[in-house]
Structure formats: structure tokens, C-alpha cells
Amino acid sequence: MKRAARKEPSEQDDVAEEVEFYGCKTWIPNWMPQWVRFVACLSYFMVLVVLTLLVSVFFLPRRRWRVRLVKNFMYFFAPGVFFLYGLRIRVTGGHNRGSLAEHRPVVYLVNHSSTLDFVTCSRCLSTGTIAIAKKALLLHPIGWIAWLNGTVFIDRSNRAKAIRSMNSIAGLLRAHGISVCVFPEGTRSRDGRLQPFKKGAMHLAMQSKVPIVPVVINGAHNIWGKLGWTIKCNEAPIEMKFLPPIETAHWTADTLQQHTDELHALFVQHLRPESRPLKTE
């Protein structure tokens, strides 16, 4: 469910920027119990999982076909979430996305403060984007689709295996034009505030020599935080901002920490005050 993009004046200058809108308010009354919404959403989700797994048989031979699976899945699943919870997303800077069709891969860096980041990223990132996820996700139905899509699962308990998995992604980006989404904090924030960045994503971008596109999300934690199962309905739209690509071809191992610190500071600059770290990390 996507509304037509329109031009709005930029906060920094007088140049209009294109804004994309996804989702809608729900007319379901507020007294409707959360568990009813959840059961309806889960039932719809499982039906789509089964259908996607059946259709995926025809995509298996070609990787560039398979990387479209999650995007196609989300075309159908996201409207259900939007309708049940009144979820809305406002996207700016969409022209900074990578492109599978144009063989223009990027590494998306996204701050991670809510389970809803799965919906916002899968719906709004470019087609042909895989992810890096923890191995435990394979126990969840969405993990099965993510695996077919090409998502790389990291065993956090085995550093050597995790490094090998990360190294395998660099070749995919260059050979197939696939983009990858990484949460550089490593896990969801408990309080919605930005956590320190790990260097894995930056090392991947440096190794593959593809640009990094920072993606700043504001407002998702207020709707559904890490703790609890309550999702607030008809809240203000989640703000998702694609910042200009950052070239990494000149990066070296000696400057990697500096670039990591600079990227963290860039996120702090674009996050709302309530999502910024309480002290300098």
C-alpha cells in the first residue's frame, strides 16, 4: 500500500525533495484487543509464508530471482500490517537507494530500535537486498523465506564462522549487483537510543568496495519497542531517511575505526533527541 510520492521543501535548503508515503490509518476501533489484531496478522503471515515457499521452487535456479522473494512477500504482507495497526511510513532520499536492475549494489546501514524494522526495511529498501541476521532467526518462518532470499545467517558464538560468512557476501555484491542490509549495532536497542557500532558492516563495504547508504529510522521504537507485545495504533508515521552514498574504495584497515566513528556521529546528527545516546560512545 503505497501512496504517490510528492515533492516537499527540504529542511536544509529550498530544494524540494521527493517524499514517499506507505501505509494508512486503520478504522479498526481502539477497543479491539491487541491479541485479535496479532492473531489476524499472524494468520495472514503464515498463509503468505506457505504460498511464498511453494512459489520459490521456480526461483531456486537463479540467485537474482531469489533475492526478489522478500520484496515480493512484503508487497502483500505489509498492507495487512498497515491496515491492522494503522502503520505509516514516510520515506525521504529514496533516490540514494541501490539498484539490482542497474547493477548498483550498496551496503545499507540501518539503526535498529524495533521489531517493525523488519517491515520498514523489507518494504522500503531496494529490490534485491539481502540481510545479515542471527542464526536463531532460522527457527522462525520468516527466516525460511529470508534464507531462500539469500540472507546470510551469522553464528555469533563462533567468531571464525561469522567472519567467513561476512567474507562470502562481498563476492555476491560484486558478482550479482545485490545489496545488503546491516544493523551495525548488532542487536535491537532496549530503550530506542543508538548503540555503539560494530565494525563488521564497514569492513564488508571496504572489502567489496561498494558505497554505504546510511538509513536513519525515527519513530519505530515509539510504536513497538524491544520489550512487550503492544503495538500502538494510528501513531505518527515512521520517518525513514536515505542519506547520500558514502564511497568506500579508498578505505583501509588503518582508517576503518575512524570511518566507523564518523558514521555513528552521522546517525546521531539525524536522529531525534530521544533516540540519541545519553553520552558520547
Side-chain angles (χ1 to χ4, degrees), residues 147-221:
W147 176 78
L148 287 168
N149 185 70
T151 291
V152 176
F153 295 91
I154 301 294
D155 184 356
R156 294 177 179 174
S157 63
N158 190 320
R159 188 171 183 272
K161 272 189 176 181
I163 292 175
R164 286 199 298 271
S165 298
M166 292 288 285
N167 290 340
S168 69
I169 302 174
L172 293 178
L173 302 185
R174 292 191 298 265
H176 301 282
I178 295 169
S179 296
V180 61
C181 174
V182 186
F183 298 118
E185 299 160 275
T187 186
R188 273 175 297 160
S189 170
R190 294 178 65 88
D191 58 2
R193 295 186 180 275
L194 190 69
Q195 304 172 93
F197 284 0
K198 302 181 186 299
K199 291 188 290 186
M202 276 54 77
H203 189 276
L204 170 63
M206 179 186 70
Q207 184 183 21
S208 56
K209 299 187 185 303
V210 302
I212 284 177
V213 173
V215 183
V216 182
I217 297 178
N218 279 297
H221 183 82

Side-chain angles (χ1 to χ4, degrees), residues 65-278:
W65 292 359
R66 283 194 284 123
V67 295
R68 293 175 169 86
L69 275 176
V70 167
K71 190 73 169 182
N72 292 334
F73 175 87
M74 197 52 60
Y75 276 137
F76 294 96
F77 178 61
V81 179
F82 297 156
F83 171 73
L84 287 168
Y85 294 100
L87 182 67
R88 291 170 293 159
I89 309 169
R90 180 181 182 273
V91 177
T92 55
H95 59 278
N96 293 318
R97 293 184 179 101
S99 172
L100 180 67
E102 298 175 11
H103 207 285
R104 194 172 70 245
V106 301
V107 174
Y108 294 109
L109 287 192
V110 189
N111 57 300
H112 194 17
S113 64
S114 172
T115 303
L116 289 174
D117 294 337
F118 157 69
V119 176
T120 55
C121 290
S122 299
R123 183 65 186 88
C124 300
L125 298 185
S126 56
T127 299
T129 299
I130 64 173
I132 297 175
K134 58 185 179 181
K135 194 175 180 180
L137 189 62
L138 281 170
L139 301 176
H140 192 282
I142 192 58
W144 310 339
I145 294 177
W147 176 78
L148 287 168
N149 185 70
T151 291
V152 176
F153 295 91
I154 301 294
D155 184 356
R156 294 177 179 174
S157 63
N158 190 320
R159 188 171 183 272
K161 272 189 176 181
I163 292 175
R164 286 199 298 271
S165 298
M166 292 288 285
N167 290 340
S168 69
I169 302 174
L172 293 178
L173 302 185
R174 292 191 298 265
H176 301 282
I178 295 169
S179 296
V180 61
C181 174
V182 186
F183 298 118
E185 299 160 275
T187 186
R188 273 175 297 160
S189 170
R190 294 178 65 88
D191 58 2
R193 295 186 180 275
L194 190 69
Q195 304 172 93
F197 284 0
K198 302 181 186 299
K199 291 188 290 186
M202 276 54 77
H203 189 276
L204 170 63
M206 179 186 70
Q207 184 183 21
S208 56
K209 299 187 185 303
V210 302
I212 284 177
V213 173
V215 183
V216 182
I217 297 178
N218 279 297
H221 183 82
N222 296 332
I223 298 175
W224 190 9
K226 184 168 184 176
L227 303 177
W229 291 95
T230 300
I231 304 175
K232 297 178 182 177
C233 301
N234 287 333
E235 289 292 302
I238 295 171
E239 302 279 344
M240 192 173 191
K241 187 172 187 177
F242 290 81
L243 301 182
I246 298 172
E247 294 297 332
T248 63
H250 65 284
W251 287 13
T252 66
D254 293 334
T255 63
L256 195 62
Q257 185 60 56
Q258 174 191 340
H259 296 307
T260 301
D261 294 340
E262 290 171 350
L263 280 163
H264 190 272
L266 184 64
F267 272 81
V268 172
Q269 176 186 342
H270 288 274
L271 284 169
R272 296 172 185 166
E274 65 269 20
S275 297
R276 297 170 182 168
L278 289 174

